[in-house]
Amino acid sequence: MNDLFYHRLKELVESSGKSANQIERELGYPRNSLNNYKLGGEPSGTRLIGLSEYFNVSPKYLMGIIDEPNDSSAINLFKTLTQEEKKEMFIICQKWLFFLEYQIEL
């Protein structure tokens, strides 16, 4: 699994158009900390979350548990919406909660 983590991390770094050292600086990591995973080490939970948020991928993807970079959880889907779509979703949820509260059919 460690090899897959490093392989996916390396692909994400390359596709970002930045160097690993530049990403390390942006994240406040020590120099060469990303390349050290080449030796098979696993990231801490904090670092795994930080990397997944930086690259906008699921931690499960980085660890090789799933094959899709992004899971389809509601929060991740919501993050992809525009402000207008988020407002529309908010209104839909309000209506749904109102109807649920008063047991009215939609």
Side-chain angles (χ1 to χ4, degrees), residues 49-85:
I49 298 300
L51 290 168
S52 66
E53 288 178 351
Y54 182 86
F55 291 110
N56 196 29
V57 298
S58 166
K60 291 179 182 180
Y61 172 76
L62 276 175
M63 294 304 294
I65 298 168
I66 61 174
D67 292 328
E68 292 298 317
N70 295 302
D71 63 25
S72 58
S73 66
I75 192 71
N76 284 335
L77 292 174
F78 189 77
K79 288 178 183 179
T80 66
L81 300 176
T82 65
Q83 279 303 112
E84 192 59 39
E85 291 168 330

Side-chain angles (χ1 to χ4, degrees), residues 22-41:
Q22 183 178 358
I23 292 169
E24 290 163 346
R25 281 192 305 275
E26 290 177 14
L27 293 172
Y29 297 165
R31 186 170 169 80
N32 293 321
S33 59
L34 298 182
N35 285 325
N36 288 340
Y37 293 119
K38 185 188 304 188
L39 304 174

